[in-house]
Structures are given as C-alpha cells and as structure tokens.
Amino acid sequence: MKFSSPFRYALAGAIAANGVIGFKYPDCVNGPLADNTVCDSKASPSDRAAALVKAMNITEKLVNLVDMSEGAERLGLPAYAWWNEALHGVAMSPGVSFNRSGGAFSAATSFANAITLSAAFDDDLVHKVADTISTEARAFANAGLAGLDYWTPNINPYKDPRWGRGHETPGEDPVRIKGYVKALLEGLEGTGPIRKVIATCKHYAAYDLERWQGVIRYSFDAVVSLQDLSEYYLPPFQQCARDSKVGSFMCSYNALNGTPACASTYLMDDILRKHWNWTEHNNFITSDCNAIKDFLPDQHNFSQTPAEAAAAAYNAGTDTVCEVTGWPPFTDVIGAYNQTLLSENVIDIALRRLYEGLVRAGYFDSPSDSPYRAIGWSDVNTPEAQALALQTATDGMVLLKNDGTLPLDLKDKTVALIGHWANTTRQMLGGYSGLPPYLHGPVYAADQLNLTYHYASGPVSPAANTTKDTWTAAALEAANKSDIILYFGGTDTSIASEDLDRDSIAWPAAQLSLIEALAALNKPLIITQLGDQVDDTPLLTNPAISAILWAGYPGQSGGTAALQIITGLSTPAGRLPVTQYPSAYTAQLPLTEMSLRASPGRTYRWYPQSKAVLPFGHGLHYTTFSARFGVFPTLKFPSTSSLLEGCAEPNHRDLCPFPSQVSVWVTNKGNLTSDYVALVFLRGGELGPAPWPIKTLVGYTRVRGVAPGETVAAVVGVKVGDLARVDETGDRVLYPGRYSLVLDVGEEEAQEGREVVFEVGGEEVVVLDAFPQPPKGE
C-alpha cells in the first residue's frame, strides 16, 4: 500500500502528539540489566552491545529488528523508536512528541532549511546550528519525548531542479555538501567519547526522484556510471563514513543499476564498510520507510515474498527496517528466520550494531556518567537559539537582482505587503519541520518595524482556467494605496516536496500575471521568493521590477529576516548553492537521466554558465567588493607526487592540502559593512578523460563584517583530491598539466588577481583513490 507524503507525516505527527510513543532510558541500577555488561560503562562499547544481544532469546531479537523496537521486558530493555527527525530543528516524527497543550516541550527552534543554510557558505554557522539542534534533541530525550538517533542529514546532490526534496539538501555541488556535512555532523554528534546524538546520512545512494511522469521512487532503477557514482553521487557519503565516521546511514528506495539499494552488498559492504572502513564503531544502516516492501513484485520485483525481501535486506547489510507507523508490518523477519533464509548470526550482527550505537550515545549510562543527561527545557528555544535562527535566514538569503532600490528607507512610506506568504505560517519552514516557538512572517515583521502597510494575499499555483481570480483586485487595491510594493511569492511544498516532483520550473502563471500587473503600476517593486528556484527571466528582464531576493525556506524568523535585508538592517551576502535553469531545460533532459554529462549537462560543472538564468554561486551585495588572491600568480610543481609531499594523510591522499596556501584578500570599496563569500574554482583544461568540466568548486569561505575601506584576508582550504579527475572506472586520478584557480563567478573572474595558474610537471599519473568495482551481476 502506498500513500501520499502529507498523509504519512500527518499520521506521524498525530501519533507523536497523542503520546503513544515514549522514550525511556534503561534502569542500569535497579533493573534486570544492572548485572549485564551492557550497563558497565568501563567495558568497550562493542562488548557492552554484544552482552545485551547475547542475553536476548530469539523471540526478543526478532521484535527488535524494525524501527519500532519492542524491547525486552524480561531483560528490562525498553521499547525504542528509531525514527526521529531533525533536518533543521527537532521535527515531528514517530519518535518525537511535542506537548500540544503548551508549556514545556511545546516547541523547538526551527532554523532555515538546508538549502537556505547552505547558501550562507559558512560552515561555522552550520556547526552552531547543529550543536543547538542536538542540545534541544537531548532535552526532548531526557524528558522522554524523543530518541537519541536522528535521520538527518539529507545529502543527496540536488542535480535536477524538478526534484521535490532538493530544498532538504545543501545544493548541487559535492564539495559544498561535504563541507556542510562535516560541520553538521560535528555539531550533531559532538567530538567527545559519548555521541551527543546519532546522526544518519541519507539516502544512500543516487536518490533524487519522487514521483515524475509515472515513475516513482519505490520502483525507480537509477542507472549510474561508475564515473558519475564516484565523482558526484557518493563523495558526500564518503565524508560521512570515511572521514566523519557518522553513526548511521539510511539506504534509499531506488535501485542502483538493477539492485535495490537496501539489498546492495556493493553499496553497503564493498564501498561503505570495506572501502571506506566504516566499521570502527560497528555503525548501523536503516532502510528508508517501507523500502524493503518495495523489493516485492509490484515495485522492484527483486524478491517474491516478504520473507525473501527481509532476508535480502539483512543479509546484504541493512540492520533495521523503517516501517510507516499505523500500517501493518511489512517486513517478515520472523518468516525469514523460520524459513532459514535469515540466520541468527546475521540477526545478532544487526542488533549489535544497533545497540552499540545507543551505547555510544550513553543510553545505558547513569546520568552522572553522561554530560548530556542534565540538559532540559531551559536549554530549548533560548534567546541565543532564536537569534541564531534569525541569522540562518538573513545569512542564507540571496540577492538576485537590484537596480539600486535596495536597501529601502521606509520612513514615512506606505508599503504594500502582497503574496501567498506575506502573512504566512508554516510555509516558511519547508519539509521535515517541528513546532517552532513562533512563526514571524513579513506582516509580523512590518508590525515590529511600525510600518504603515496594506496587506493582500496572493495565489500559489491554482489550476489554470478552473480557479476564480480572487486575488488580483485586492492586490492592486493594496498596491495603489502604497508607495512601495513588496511581493512575497515563489513556490512552497504544495508545488515541490517529498513524493512530489515538478514538471515545470517556470513561475506559476497566476503569480507571474499578478507580478506583471503590479509592475505596470511603475512603483518600486521588490520580489522576495520562497522555495525552490524558478526561471526568473521575466523578472530579471523587466525594468519595472526593482529587486529580487531569494529566501528559500527561511524558518521561524523568515519574515523578520526578509524585512531586515530589504530595509538594510542586514546586508545580503548569500550565494546560490544551485544553478537557476531556464524553463526550457526540463524539455531537454528527463528527470530519470542520471548522467551529469548528458546534453545539455547537469550542474554548473557541465551546463554552460552562459545558458543559465543565474549561475551557481550568484549573489549580489549592497556594497562594492574587490577580491583577489593573495598568492603568486603562477606556481610550478615538478610532478604530481610533489603535490603530496609532507602530507599527514598517507591512507587518504585525496585529503592532502594543496601545498601552497590559498588566501583571498577582500576589500570593501563601498559605503556599507557587509559579509563576502569567496568561491574558488578549478579549471584544468583538457586533463584526464573527456569531456572536461567547465570548472569545479574546490574551496569557499565567508568573510564577515568587512567595513567600508577595509581589506580582510582569509585562507581558503583546498584539498588535492578536489584537483583530481575521476576516470571511467571511478578512480580519482591526479594528472600533470596546466591548471588555474579562479575566484568567484561571472565577469569578475576576468579582473586582475582573480586567477592563479599552476603547472604540474612530468608525466606521472597518481591514483589517489582506487574505486571498488562492482561484482558481476550487480
């Protein structure tokens, strides 16, 4: 049985709201587990988990293999809900309960969603957000209202603008995603001996389709070359597993080259556990929800019975299966065991991984042994957290167009606030959200600024020729009474979300007609755009439209952030973490095409910047910056191996830092203090296998608070592995030849000091990472 995403999460939220699911720490002092090694904090985590599993009988083992683990009353092991969410704040899910009656634990801070937070290009900010989220998650857990593991982050690269879940991700570029992920995981899990929470990198792998023109994620077979898999789809997961050693992974709905991801030994064993050595902490893999049911003939047709499907998943390395709450169990682990398709040894391995994860999160420790057990309601929704939520929104907003109208002085001015999210509630949050302490939309922000305004709502995307226009007259009336028009439009989750891909990336026709009518009034008109990217060509080319500000999904303080930027209380410095394509792009490539190199190309690496409406990295400022490299204009290295000399990463040479420090000097030549995001790209000419990418992001940094006339220097970290190319077999290879580093995007690249050329001599080719080859038949 399949169901829509809104129903799925409404159900999860209802269950959590009614308190059906609770969280309970085991009693390791007076309970039956007190004498079990699992409660001995001096024993190793692996020994502790093994002792617990050894004490279970087979019946108890089998009922703890799915996400709603029943525990073992005989042993004093509580039931545990593995399904907890925290994409941009503690979120509604079967494992999380909010107090709907108000008071303590009635809310959690809701930060800007991933796509907006990523646009800030500031990993320190990402870390602060994640650290705050994990603090609030621990508070909920200590109150018995949430678990210790969270199914976040979503790190699938956002390769196609039609994908409904793209806003849950950090964008289209693997290097940007890796930096985001590294910072996020350090904040969520902490760096101490006890994990603050267990994070989950999802969806592994090559998952970026929901429901598009009859193709659905539950049966989609992603056909991906080894080159694209190694180069594009997997680097964020490599960061999670090999480099950040995240506690958990989630395997995805789709198949990869004919094998469902959750049954793929190639993905889960050969690459994840063996090649990336994701075994140090005996980490666990969960399936996406009901993904194992999708092995059956009505979807992937990989297994013929539920018992066979369960056996295929667990034998391949899946350790627990998510099942959607409120529906009958679909994973026949009991049948798989009874039919000898699933051995007790495999069951034990899975359970040891699951419970070792909880051991490492301090689940079986006494409060005095854990630094996180004292966290409580006073640590949720703090003034610092609320200020940080506002900062994520302001820092992540991107100024796409400005004819000089912004920033606005609204003193003694009357303003029209028009559009579907001008007086919004939850629209600003996006997917996987919780209950924030407040929702401050544009109308609220205007009230706080004591503005004189006229408000009118607007359409989102009504059906053409079937919906009566009830908005244009009211909007024009508000606009005619005002000096300045602020339009708050764009997309929302009714247009693109989980289980809902787009066909069109144009502005919804009803909104575009309304905008054109407002523009005809010849008053200053500022568009603040919610949601995903749409083709802004009609707005960019219309001289009557003064400015465009992209907000993405800005979270609980989105309206305040937008008005602060519009009025100059904050200055914009965000950059687009995705390419904005022309609307005709969707007719040139099907969403099901996984190749990055397929004509006309995917992402800025393969799609010409000259054809993009707005390129990856685009973002304007209220001031004028001059930026240049602070290194020599030319560098020479005798060989590829010389780039690796003195590197302290002998096992992972792709992590070796570029031997010459890459610094950027930023000068503010304007009149307003502002941040500046420096983006460093690589151009390598015709090096390695053809075709050759246009350019590749290799580093970035955000320089904060550059005052007028001030010059600030910043170091941009560049790794040797990001200078390499990936060949047809998936190997990451360093080639000799002529390279150049270029600073920023667009015409600025041609300015003096924005290019550094370096030459790598000799003929030596160095393989930095040899990619595992799939077994025959997979």
Side-chain angles (χ1 to χ4, degrees):
M1 180 178 292
K2 291 298 172 186
F3 39 83
S4 67
S5 174
F7 178 80
R8 167 179 168 179
Y9 291 102
L11 176 65
I15 290 171
N18 292 329
V20 174
I21 299 163
F23 172 82
K24 184 179 179 181
Y25 286 103
D27 185 350
C28 274
V29 177
N30 300 309
L33 285 178
D35 294 328
N36 189 292
T37 302
V38 75
C39 288
D40 181 0
S41 61
K42 296 180 181 179
S44 71
S46 59
D47 287 346
R48 295 173 71 181
L52 173 65
V53 175
K54 184 178 180 180
M56 292 180 176
N57 59 42
I58 189 60
T59 301
E60 291 163 338
K61 291 176 181 179
L62 290 171
V63 298
N64 285 286
L65 283 173
V66 293
D67 67 304
M68 300 303 295
S69 296
E70 295 183 16
E73 184 177 358
R74 177 182 66 88
L75 299 176
L77 179 67
Y80 184 81
W82 296 88
W83 185 355
N84 302 273
E85 299 283 0
L87 176 66
H88 58 114
V90 177
M92 287 183 287
S93 44
V96 175
S97 296
F98 285 88
N99 177 9
R100 298 295 182 114
S101 61
F105 297 100
S106 59
T109 312
S110 186
F111 299 92
N113 219 309
I115 196 70
T116 302
L117 179 57
S118 178
F121 280 90
D122 185 341
D123 293 338
D124 289 338
L125 180 63
V126 173
H127 184 276
K128 290 177 183 177
V129 168
D131 185 43
T132 304
I133 290 173
S134 59
T135 294
E136 297 195 359
R138 272 288 181 165
F140 271 74
N142 293 337
L145 299 173
L148 297 179
D149 72 293
Y150 287 82
W151 293 353
T152 193
N154 180 347
I155 60 170
N156 297 107
Y158 190 6
K159 78 167 188 341
D160 191 292
R162 289 165 285 191
W163 184 31
R165 299 184 70 174
H167 75 271
E168 299 176 24
T169 80
E172 72 180 36
D173 180 74
V175 168
R176 173 68 195 114
I177 300 173
K178 286 168 64 179
Y180 180 103
V181 165
K182 180 181 179 182
L184 190 88
L185 294 182
E186 287 180 357
L188 288 176
E189 296 197 328
T191 57
I194 297 177
R195 280 199 172 103
K196 198 174 181 187
V197 300
I198 306 165
T200 303
C201 289
K202 64 184 186 184
H203 311 82
Y204 185 64
Y207 167 65
D208 57 5
L209 177 145
E210 302 298 305
R211 186 180 298 271
W212 181 80
Q213 298 189 4
V215 181
I216 60 175
R217 57 184 175 169
Y218 310 114
S219 58
F220 176 55
D221 182 17
V223 178
V224 183
S225 70
L226 291 178
Q227 187 174 42
D228 281 335
L229 188 66
S230 173
E231 179 182 71
Y232 188 72
Y233 293 103
L234 292 191
F237 293 100
Q238 181 192 64
Q239 175 65 51
C240 287
R242 190 194 71 179
D243 302 330
S244 293
K245 297 176 173 42
V246 69
S248 175
F249 261 54
M250 175 184 284
C251 53
S252 55
Y253 286 118
N254 58 280
L256 176 68
N257 297 330
T259 302
C262 294
S264 174
T265 57
Y266 177 56
L267 279 176
M268 295 191 288
D269 192 44
D270 294 344
I271 296 177
L272 178 56
R273 288 189 165 119
K274 290 178 180 174
H275 184 59
W276 292 338
N277 196 31
W278 193 62
T279 56
E280 181 180 345
H281 294 159
N282 212 15
N283 308 289
F284 66 88
I285 300 172
T286 179
S287 79
D288 207 337
C289 297
N290 290 357
I292 308 311
K293 178 184 179 296
D294 296 333
F295 292 6
L296 298 177
D298 61 333
Q299 300 296 349
H300 288 302
N301 196 25
F302 184 79
S303 304
Q304 298 306 300
T305 69
E308 291 176 356
Y314 287 103
N315 287 327
T318 304
D319 300 305
T320 185
V321 172
C322 173
E323 295 187 327
V324 175
T325 309
W327 295 89
F330 296 127
T331 309
D332 189 7
V333 291
I334 295 175
Y337 175 75
N338 288 340
Q339 296 170 39
T340 68
L341 301 173
L342 182 62
S343 71
E344 188 168 4
N345 181 59
V346 171
I347 292 169
D348 288 352
I349 290 172
L351 290 171
R352 285 199 298 267
R353 288 170 177 162
L354 290 167
Y355 285 106
E356 183 170 335
L358 290 180
V359 167
R360 291 183 179 276
Y363 181 64
F364 296 95
D365 294 344
S366 66
S368 61
D369 288 334
S370 172
Y372 306 122
R373 290 289 289 273
I375 296 173
W377 171 240
S378 63
D379 299 298
V380 181
N381 297 323
T382 63
E384 293 79 11
Q386 294 177 4
L388 187 62
L390 174 59
Q391 183 184 353
T392 63
T394 54
D395 286 1
M397 288 188 180
V398 183
L399 185 62
L400 305 182
K401 174 185 178 178
N402 187 20
D403 65 2
T405 299
L406 294 184
L408 282 169
D409 181 359
L410 297 180
K411 184 179 180 180
D412 300 325
K413 296 289 194 305
T414 301
V415 179
L417 302 177
I418 298 170
H420 69 79
W421 70 282
N423 194 22
T424 187
T425 54
R426 291 186 62 84
Q427 279 176 299
M428 298 185 299
L429 303 183
Y432 284 86
S433 302
L435 297 179
Y438 49 74
L439 289 161
H440 290 169
V443 165
Y444 170 88
D447 284 331
Q448 298 305 300
L449 292 174
N450 295 315
L451 300 182
T452 301
Y453 65 86
H454 300 284
Y455 162 72
S457 187
V460 182
S461 185
N465 303 320
T466 61
T467 304
K468 183 180 179 181
D469 183 344
T470 60
W471 51 84
T472 298
L476 290 175
E477 181 181 1
N480 278 314
K481 294 178 180 178
S482 305
D483 302 308
I484 296 165
I485 306 168
L486 304 182
Y487 179 80
F488 297 90
T491 69
D492 64 12
T493 55
S494 71
I495 292 176
S497 62
E498 183 166 7
D499 207 34
L500 180 63
D501 294 320
R502 292 190 285 175
D503 281 319
S504 171
I505 57 172
W507 270 88
Q511 289 194 56
L512 191 57
S513 295
L514 178 56
I515 291 170
E516 290 171 346
L518 295 172
L521 300 178
N522 290 317
K523 296 183 177 184
L525 172 58
I526 290 84
I527 310 295
T528 305
Q529 183 179 323
L530 191 76
D532 294 305
Q533 295 299 311
V534 289
D535 181 353
D536 280 331
T537 300
L539 281 58
L540 293 166
T541 57
N542 187 337
I545 295 174
S546 308
I548 306 170
L549 181 67
W550 175 73
Y553 286 102
Q556 66 186 38
S557 297
T560 302
L563 265 294
Q564 284 192 356
I565 289 180
I566 288 169
T567 59
L569 293 173
S570 299
T571 54
R575 302 295 192 104
L576 287 181
V578 290
T579 299
Q580 187 181 116
Y581 295 93
S583 58
Y585 181 81
T586 59
Q588 297 174 301
L589 271 178
L591 183 55
T592 50
E593 173 58 65
M594 303 299 290
S595 171
L596 278 296
R597 294 160 175 79
S599 179
R602 293 196 183 279
T603 79
Y604 74 92
R605 297 188 75 228
W606 304 103
Y607 186 78
Q609 181 172 291
S610 60
K611 294 182 179 181
V613 176
L614 292 171
F616 172 91
H618 176 81
L620 305 177
H621 305 87
Y622 286 164
T623 189
T624 301
F625 282 106
S626 172
R628 62 186 179 87
F629 284 115
V631 296
F632 295 110
T634 59
L635 296 167
K636 290 186 178 181
F637 302 95
S639 64
T640 51
S641 59
S642 68
L643 292 173
L644 308 173
E645 290 179 358
C647 176
E649 297 282 352
N651 297 322
H652 306 304
R653 294 187 294 175
D654 55 302
L655 296 180
C656 294
F658 185 61
S660 178
Q661 178 175 288
V662 179
S663 58
V664 176
W665 294 1
V666 179
T667 302
N668 186 344
K669 294 186 174 182
N671 299 316
L672 291 174
T673 298
S674 176
D675 295 356
Y676 180 84
V677 171
L679 304 177
V680 177
F681 296 91
L682 175 76
R683 285 184 176 146
E686 298 181 358
L687 301 177
W692 302 283
I694 299 165
K695 62 181 181 180
T696 301
L697 184 72
V698 294
Y700 56 85
T701 191
R702 185 175 181 121
V703 182
R704 291 197 169 271
V706 186
E710 184 181 15
T711 297
V712 177
V715 175
V716 180
V718 176
K719 300 289 194 300
V720 170
D722 296 324
L723 309 178
R725 294 290 315 284
V726 175
D727 66 18
E728 293 86 348
T729 66
D731 291 351
R732 189 167 290 271
V733 183
L734 197 58
Y735 295 93
R738 187 178 187 273
Y739 298 80
S740 64
L741 298 176
V742 292
L743 180 60
D744 224 321
V745 297
E747 297 177 356
E748 293 177 328
E749 292 176 358
Q751 295 181 11
E752 184 179 357
R754 288 185 176 264
E755 182 176 16
V756 171
V757 175
F758 65 95
E759 294 186 5
V760 180
E763 298 181 357
E764 179 186 20
V765 173
V766 175
V767 177
L768 297 177
D769 185 53
F771 194 66
Q773 300 303 291
K776 292 182 179 180
E778 185 169 337

